[in-house]
């Protein structure tokens, strides 16, 4: 770990006079029937499909209020693009959580940061004993759109997903991972191989401890009979025991190259004993997450064809939510990720903090947050009994990352910073996106991301990982969503295409627009203005139409 370098927090400029973002975390109305947008500039006529986005859109029921941003009810958004025109629609996910809360007009299902109080209609003994019951996981799938066997689902980080119609945004059946494989959860960031199979990771808990499980769902098959969710053939290809059985690590995503999967066991721990105690005390899930900077980060390398895991790779304490890309090169696995040095930040995203007024309180909150920056780790793949100890094994040209075998079967790594100091003025970056279809798991040059000069992203960035040069789209008061790359149908280069992002603002009511940037020059081609309010959300995908 780069312990001899200044912390990311001190290297990035401190902000002063940040504006309030309260309007970006407020409940909005859905728009179930598509409405037209106003086009400014030009939307390329070759773009044919739907930009789908997911995120929280309702933050209260009756007198009850959610306390954490992650808890808001899932709202799906669709910008449909065809022949230079764009329409917009949105719908709340009709999850069990949403329906039950709506029927009772109060919060009856616990979420990540909000504990649902016992039913006031029960007597005092029933309410007391209800605290000793393990709560059912939420199906409020507000994080991402994912694909299994050709079907779209919306996903969060529990064992439940919801299948959805990507055109009408209609909510379909609830899918429980535990009915297919022995896992208690799954991430909202699966990977896809070139044969159409989907890979994911999920935890399992039992008498033998906690395990991280790599899941494979086979490619789509011809469907016969009724239209329904179908994950048959899903299998666990590798189970990795947690280093601390009662304190497994939290993870949001994982790494996949052509032949390998890497699970990053980071020092953000889930304290399972505390989970049982806090349930009795009426505290929420986010409070069982513990950042332990005394622990190293462990990289578990798994051959995704055989499920075998051998050498363990280590680095100093860090956290990561999103990887950028990973690929193999001359006996090395190169991993690029967004990383930070302080994993306590997740619980800080309470609605109270996010709704702070302009001034000292907002500035103090933002300046306390860890910045995430792009890093490159290099894993030597040919470590064996003949590999020397305490010698840098990374021989790639122009690479400053190191890897040394400290004892047989264990390699300690330091990273290369995948950026210049210019990035620091944009507050670091997150929500990375590449030309996934063509370059995921392969050598690549460009990625697109959000810069964080505020609590929410206030710029779009294009990074050249060869030169570490930036291209930037940034305007005061405009807050972009995660950029999604769409390749031109006649693309001959990696960045031939466009980048899509939804732009929102707290300064004007109903002033949202879909931004279309030329991916090569990072200049605006056009925008589609839509008179609605959209809260700040999480992730999105482009669903290409025939």
């Amino acid at each position: 770990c780069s312990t001899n370098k200044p912390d990311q927090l001190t290297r990035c400029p401190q902000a002063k006079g940040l504006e309030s973002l309260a309007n970006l975390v407020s409940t909005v109305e859905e728009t179930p029937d598509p409405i037209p947008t106003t086009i400014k500039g030009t939307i390329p006529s070759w773009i044919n499909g739907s930009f789908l986005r997911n995120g929280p859109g309702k933050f209260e029921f009756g007198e009850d209020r959610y306390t954490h941003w992650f808890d808001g009810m899932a709202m799906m958004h669709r910008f449909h693009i065809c022949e230079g025109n764009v329409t917009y629609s949105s719908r709340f996910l009709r999850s069990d959580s949403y329906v039950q809360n709506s029927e009772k007009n109060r919060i009856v299902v616990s979420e990540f940061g909000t504990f649902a109080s016992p039913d006031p209609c029960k007597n005092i003994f029933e309410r007391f004993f209800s605290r000793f019951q393990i709560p059912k996981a939420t199906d409020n799938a507000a994080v991402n759109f994912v694909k299994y066997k050709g079907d779209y689902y919306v996903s969060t980080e529990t064992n439940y997903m919801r299948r959805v119609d990507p055109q009408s945004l209609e909510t379909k059946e609830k899918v429980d991972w535990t009915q297919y494989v022995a896992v208690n959860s799954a991430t909202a960031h699966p990977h896809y191989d070139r044969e159409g199979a989907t890979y994911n990771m999920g935890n399992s808990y039992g008498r033998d401890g906690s395990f991280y499980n790599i899941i494979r769902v086979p490619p789509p098959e011809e469907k016969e009979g009724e239209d329904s969710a179908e994950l048959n053939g899903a299998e666990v290809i590798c189970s990795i025991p947690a280093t601390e059985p009662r304190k497994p690590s939290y993870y949001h995503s994982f790494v996949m190259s052509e032949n390998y999967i890497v699970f990053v066991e980071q020092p953000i721990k889930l304290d399972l004993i505390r989970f049982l105690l806090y349930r009795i005390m009426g505290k929420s899930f986010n409070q069982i997450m513990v950042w332990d900077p005394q622990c190293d980060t462990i990289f578990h390398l798994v051959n995704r064809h055989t499920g075998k895991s051998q050498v363990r790779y280590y680095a100093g304490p860090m956290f990561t939510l999103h990887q950028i890309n990973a690929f193999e090169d001359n006996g090395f696995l190169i991993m690029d990720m967004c990383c930070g040095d302080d994993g306590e930040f997740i619980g800080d995203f309470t609605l109270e903090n996010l709704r702070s007024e302009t001034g000292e309180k907002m500035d103090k909150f933002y300046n306390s947050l860890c910045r995430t920056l792009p890093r490159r780790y290099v894993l030597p793949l040919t470590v064996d009994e003949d590999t020397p100890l305490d010698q840098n094994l990374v021989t790639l040209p122009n690479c400053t990352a190191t890897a040394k075998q400290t004892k047989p079967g264990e390699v300690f790594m330091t990273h290369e910073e995948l950026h210049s100091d210019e990035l620091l003025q944009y507050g670091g970056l997150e929500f990375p996106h590449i030309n996934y279809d063509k370059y995921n798991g392969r050598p690549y040059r460009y990625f697109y991301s959000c810069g964080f000069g505020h609590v929410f992203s206030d710029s779009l960035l294009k990074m050249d990982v060869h030169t570490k040069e930036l291209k930037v789209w940034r305007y005061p008061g405009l807050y972009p969503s995660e950029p999604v790359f769409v390749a031109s149908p006649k693309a001959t280069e990696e960045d031939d295409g466009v980048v899509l992002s939804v732009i929102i603002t707290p300064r004007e009511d109903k002033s949202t627009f879909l931004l279309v940037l030329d991916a090569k020059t990072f200049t605006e081609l056009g925008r589609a203005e839509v008179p609605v309010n959209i809260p700040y959300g999480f992730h999105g995908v482009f669903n290409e139409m025939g």
Side-chain angles (χ1 to χ4, degrees):
C1 189
S2 57
T3 52
N4 60 327
K5 295 183 180 179
D7 180 83
Q8 290 149 307
L9 201 57
T10 59
R11 295 169 64 201
C12 292
Q14 297 285 285
K16 190 172 183 180
L18 294 175
E19 67 181 326
S20 173
L21 302 178
N23 290 344
L24 306 187
V25 281
S26 299
T27 296
V28 298
E29 299 294 323
E30 63 182 0
T31 308
D33 297 319
I35 60 174
T37 64
T38 302
I39 305 298
K40 300 285 180 67
T42 303
I43 309 295
S45 60
W46 56 261
I47 306 176
N48 187 20
S50 297
F51 185 33
L52 305 173
R53 294 269 309 150
N54 198 2
K58 183 174 175 62
F59 299 95
E60 67 281 315
F61 285 93
E63 298 299 313
D64 289 359
R65 302 285 186 270
Y66 288 113
T67 58
H68 200 281
W69 174 42
F70 297 174
D71 300 342
M73 292 291 97
M75 189 178 204
M76 302 172 288
H77 308 268
R78 178 180 186 249
F79 287 86
H80 183 59
I81 310 168
C82 183
E83 296 182 353
N85 293 308
V86 181
T87 59
Y88 169 80
S89 57
S90 64
R91 283 193 176 189
F92 283 110
L93 179 71
R94 263 53 177 189
S95 60
D96 289 352
S97 299
Y98 179 90
V99 171
Q100 292 170 19
N101 292 338
S102 298
E103 288 174 348
K104 299 284 188 179
N105 198 31
R106 67 182 187 86
I107 296 171
V108 299
V109 180
S110 294
E111 299 290 342
F112 173 79
T114 305
F115 179 78
S117 299
D119 189 341
C121 295
K122 292 181 177 180
N123 65 44
I124 188 169
F125 296 105
E126 289 174 318
R127 284 183 298 195
F128 174 74
F129 286 112
S130 70
R131 297 211 186 256
F132 293 88
Q133 299 170 356
I134 295 177
K136 289 185 68 175
T138 182
D139 65 336
N140 176 36
V143 179
N144 204 1
F145 279 84
V146 298
K147 221 173 177 182
Y148 295 98
K149 290 194 163 189
D151 285 331
Y152 272 102
Y153 298 79
V154 285
S155 176
T156 180
E157 296 185 334
T158 68
N159 56 303
Y160 294 122
M161 300 186 296
R162 277 284 184 169
R163 195 165 72 100
V164 294
D165 184 323
Q167 296 190 52
S168 67
L169 302 181
E170 175 191 356
T171 302
K172 297 191 174 184
E173 67 268 47
K174 181 167 72 171
V175 175
D176 183 351
W177 274 106
T178 65
Q179 302 301 306
Y180 296 92
V181 286
V183 299
N184 299 100
S185 63
T187 82
H189 287 287
H191 275 293
Y192 310 96
D193 68 19
R194 286 175 174 78
E195 289 70 51
T198 307
Y199 294 79
N200 208 335
M201 292 202 63
N203 280 13
S204 61
Y205 312 102
R207 292 180 180 176
D208 297 329
S210 303
F211 293 84
Y212 315 109
N213 303 287
I214 299 173
I215 307 161
R216 180 183 183 273
V217 179
E221 303 162 352
E222 284 289 329
K223 272 195 176 184
E224 295 181 7
E226 64 181 66
D227 177 38
S228 62
E230 200 272 289
L231 295 182
N232 291 329
E235 60 178 336
V236 171
I237 62 172
C238 181
S239 288
I240 302 166
T243 304
E244 293 184 82
R246 293 179 180 175
K247 288 186 178 180
S249 287
Y250 170 76
Y251 55 96
H252 185 71
S253 63
F254 62 99
V255 176
M256 190 170 94
S257 69
E258 290 267 30
N259 296 296
Y260 296 94
I261 285 173
V262 181
F263 168 65
V264 182
E265 191 174 17
Q266 57 190 350
I268 304 179
K269 303 291 186 177
L270 304 178
D271 190 328
L272 300 184
I273 301 300
R274 188 183 291 190
F275 172 71
L276 298 175
L277 177 64
Y278 276 18
R279 169 63 183 168
I280 297 169
M281 296 169 64
K283 294 189 177 183
S284 54
F285 180 82
N286 69 304
Q287 293 174 303
I288 74 165
M289 298 175 73
V290 179
W291 168 246
D292 187 354
Q294 304 306 310
C295 293
D296 280 337
T297 306
I298 305 173
F299 299 76
H300 299 272
L301 178 76
V302 177
N303 185 308
R304 71 178 179 93
H305 306 295
T306 66
K308 296 262 174 83
S309 174
Q310 291 176 315
V311 177
R312 272 190 168 190
Y313 302 82
Y314 292 80
M318 64 88 174
F319 80 88
T320 180
L321 292 178
H322 301 109
Q323 65 127 352
I324 302 167
N325 198 9
F327 59 94
E328 298 148 42
D329 183 11
N330 289 312
F332 296 95
L333 177 65
I334 298 169
M335 291 174 23
D336 297 343
M337 302 184 296
C338 298
C339 303
D341 291 324
D342 179 1
E344 291 185 345
F345 77 102
I346 293 178
D348 294 336
F349 279 80
T350 63
L351 289 168
E352 179 184 2
N353 282 336
L354 294 174
R355 289 170 176 165
S356 297
E357 292 300 315
T358 300
E360 185 178 343
K361 188 177 180 183
M362 175 59 84
D363 294 346
K364 184 178 179 181
F365 173 47
Y366 171 76
N367 290 329
S368 71
L369 294 174
C370 179
R371 312 292 188 262
T372 52
L373 299 168
R375 292 179 179 171
R376 172 165 288 184
Y377 290 91
V378 179
L379 284 62
L381 297 173
T382 55
V383 176
D384 57 28
E385 62 272 10
D386 297 323
T387 302
L389 297 178
D390 300 318
Q391 178 179 314
N392 183 20
L393 306 175
V394 179
T395 56
L396 294 171
N398 304 314
C399 181
T400 59
T402 70
K404 296 179 181 180
Q405 184 170 223
T406 53
K407 57 184 177 180
E410 293 189 4
V411 174
F412 191 85
M413 304 182 297
T414 66
H415 63 267
E416 173 183 342
E417 292 193 332
L418 206 62
H419 63 90
S420 68
D421 285 349
E422 182 188 4
L423 175 62
L424 302 178
Q425 67 181 283
Y426 298 103
L429 57 80
E430 257 295 352
F431 296 145
H433 204 276
I434 63 169
N435 182 342
Y436 190 96
D437 290 346
K438 291 287 197 303
Y439 288 88
N440 185 58
R442 294 175 173 173
Y444 76 114
R445 182 163 183 173
Y446 304 108
F447 73 89
Y448 313 91
S449 63
C450 288
F452 280 79
H454 202 324
V455 175
F456 288 153
S457 55
D458 65 345
S459 62
L460 292 169
L461 308 174
K462 177 185 180 181
M463 172 74 79
D464 182 329
V465 298
H466 290 181
T467 66
K468 300 181 182 177
E469 292 177 333
L470 281 178
K471 285 184 172 25
V472 182
W473 185 94
R474 188 186 202 185
Y475 293 92
L478 298 183
Y479 296 86
S481 73
E482 169 193 57
V484 171
F485 175 84
V486 182
S488 163
K490 297 180 180 178
T492 58
E493 296 183 279
E494 180 182 343
D495 57 351
D496 280 350
V498 297
V499 168
L500 305 178
S501 178
V502 178
I503 313 299
I504 57 179
T505 178
R507 298 183 179 184
E508 294 181 52
D509 191 45
K510 297 183 177 179
S511 297
T512 298
F513 62 91
L514 173 67
L515 174 69
V516 183
L517 295 177
D518 181 301
K520 190 175 288 292
T521 63
F522 224 53
T523 55
E524 181 174 339
L525 296 173
R527 59 179 68 180
E529 298 174 344
V530 56
V532 297
N533 290 321
I534 295 179
Y536 192 81
F538 298 128
H539 297 290
V541 298
F542 183 74
N543 177 30
E544 189 172 344
M545 308 294 283

